[in-house]
């Protein structure tokens, strides 16, 4: 894949894959091109983005979701005027794609037993059952990130794209998010592509890590081996005064 902006090559000649049920971390210094690569919905100048053999380039978001691709964002995107449970019910209705959302707007559609059971299962999976009846606008950033993660998981994705899920969180909240990612990968077999700046979290969650620098892949392998690479330490850790 290659992508440039105004003559600046943000990503060039980079190729990797994520296997079914695998968790891959994408890390690198600021300006390395991680976000551009992660936001593959931007049409590349060359190359392909494939999911189970089918090209995703130019495919609308709702069609990617229906293929089995879940997504969380660095900037939290939640419905602040809903309770946590209702928030997930909307995600469940969207997953089913049964055309019932218009009835919801008119208060003509009540949740089915199956829908309620599925929402309760997601609340339990993410560990936020005790917040089910709380309005999202009353939650802190950490809990909002868990709600957003729960919404993404409600679609039963085959792969979850998590964009810096620990951003703005304290150590305890980060550990909660990491625990959920481990659970969905190891118990549900969900593949995860994680863009993250918190290396402790990355080391705790991923099976394999990819390091980018200046738009290209610098190293790939297990966390300890990659972080011991002198080139990685110079390009990534050295920028943080840790070389």
């Amino acid at each position: 894949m290659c992508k440039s902006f105004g003559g600046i090559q943000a990503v060039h000649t980079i190729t990797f894959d994520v296997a079914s049920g695998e968790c891959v971390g994408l890390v690198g210094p600021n300006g390395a091109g991680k976000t551009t690569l992660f936001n593959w919905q931007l049409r590349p100048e060359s190359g392909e983005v494939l999911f189970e053999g089918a090209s995703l380039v130019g495919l609308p978001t709702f069609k990617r979701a229906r293929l089995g691709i879940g997504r969380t964002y660095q900037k939290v995107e939640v419905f602040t005027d809903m309770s946590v449970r209702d928030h997930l019910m909307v995600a469940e209705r969207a997953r089913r794609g049964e055309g019932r959302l218009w009835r919801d707007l008119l208060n003509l559609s009540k949740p089915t037993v199956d829908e309620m059971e599925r929402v309760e299962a997601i609340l339990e999976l993410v560990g936020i059952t005790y917040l089910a009846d709380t309005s999202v606008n009353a939650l802190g950033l950490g809990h909002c990130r868990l709600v957003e993660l729960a919404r993404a998981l409600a679609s039963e994705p085959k792969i979850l794209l998590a964009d810096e899920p620990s951003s703005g969180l304290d150590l305890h909240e980060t550990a909660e998010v990491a625990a959920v990612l481990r659970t969905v990968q190891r118990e549900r077999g969900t593949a995860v592509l994680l863009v993250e700046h918190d290396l402790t979290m990355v080391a705790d969650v991923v099976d394999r890590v990819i390091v980018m620098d200046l738009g290209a892949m610098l190293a790939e392998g297990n966390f300890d081996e990659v972080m011991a690479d002198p080139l990685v330490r110079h390009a990534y850790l050295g920028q943080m005064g840790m070389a």
Side-chain angles (χ1 to χ4, degrees):
M1 173 181 173
C2 296
K3 183 68 182 179
S4 61
F5 298 95
I8 299 175
Q9 195 80 37
V11 175
H12 58 89
T13 319
I14 183 167
T15 300
F16 70 93
D17 59 10
V18 180
S20 176
E22 182 183 28
C23 183
V24 175
L26 188 62
V27 301
N30 292 333
K34 304 185 299 298
T35 298
T36 299
L37 178 62
F38 197 67
N39 292 331
W40 40 258
Q41 62 265 39
L42 296 173
R43 186 178 297 276
E45 277 87 31
S46 63
E48 280 283 2
V49 181
L50 302 176
F51 181 70
E52 297 185 329
S55 175
L56 298 177
V57 175
L59 201 65
T61 300
F62 75 93
K63 290 188 176 181
R64 295 197 299 269
R66 289 177 181 174
L67 286 175
I69 300 171
R71 174 76 192 269
T72 67
Y73 296 85
Q74 185 175 358
K75 180 181 178 181
V76 175
E77 301 285 349
V78 290
F79 307 130
T80 56
D81 57 345
M82 291 184 177
S83 71
V84 173
R85 180 181 282 109
D86 288 344
H87 191 286
L88 299 186
M89 185 61 68
V90 170
E92 170 63 12
R93 290 280 170 88
R95 181 192 71 83
R96 289 172 178 263
E98 296 175 344
R100 300 181 64 188
L101 287 177
W102 71 269
R103 293 177 62 85
D104 294 340
L105 297 176
L106 299 175
N107 293 320
L108 296 176
S109 179
K110 294 182 179 181
T112 65
V113 172
D114 183 54
E115 287 173 334
M116 290 187 292
E117 288 178 348
R118 285 186 51 79
V119 167
E120 293 303 318
I122 292 295
L123 289 167
E124 183 176 354
L125 172 67
V126 182
I128 54 175
T129 301
Y130 67 101
L131 295 173
D133 297 316
T134 303
S135 177
V136 174
N137 62 18
L139 301 179
L141 176 60
H143 286 137
C144 281
R145 289 206 179 278
L146 289 175
V147 171
E148 185 183 41
L149 183 55
R151 181 186 62 195
L153 294 174
S155 67
E156 295 187 344
K158 298 176 183 177
I159 183 170
L160 175 67
L161 310 180
D163 189 0
E164 297 203 10
S166 77
S167 179
L169 305 187
D170 61 27
L171 291 176
H172 175 72
E173 292 167 336
T174 297
E176 287 184 315
V177 172
V180 173
L181 293 178
R182 287 195 303 271
T183 298
V184 299
Q185 182 218 359
R186 297 169 189 177
E187 296 183 10
R188 286 191 161 197
T190 305
V192 179
L193 178 59
L194 172 68
V195 172
E196 183 54 61
H197 67 280
D198 187 325
L199 294 183
T200 300
M201 178 181 176
V202 172
D204 193 34
V205 172
V206 306
D207 302 309
R208 178 163 54 97
V209 65
I210 295 168
V211 182
M212 291 185 65
D213 187 36
L214 301 177
M217 183 186 297
L218 184 62
E220 177 182 12
N222 71 56
F223 184 86
D224 291 337
E225 291 175 350
V226 166
M227 289 303 160
D229 187 320
L231 291 177
V232 172
R233 293 181 63 81
H234 175 74
Y236 185 54
L237 300 179
Q239 190 181 83
M240 301 167 59
M242 298 175 62

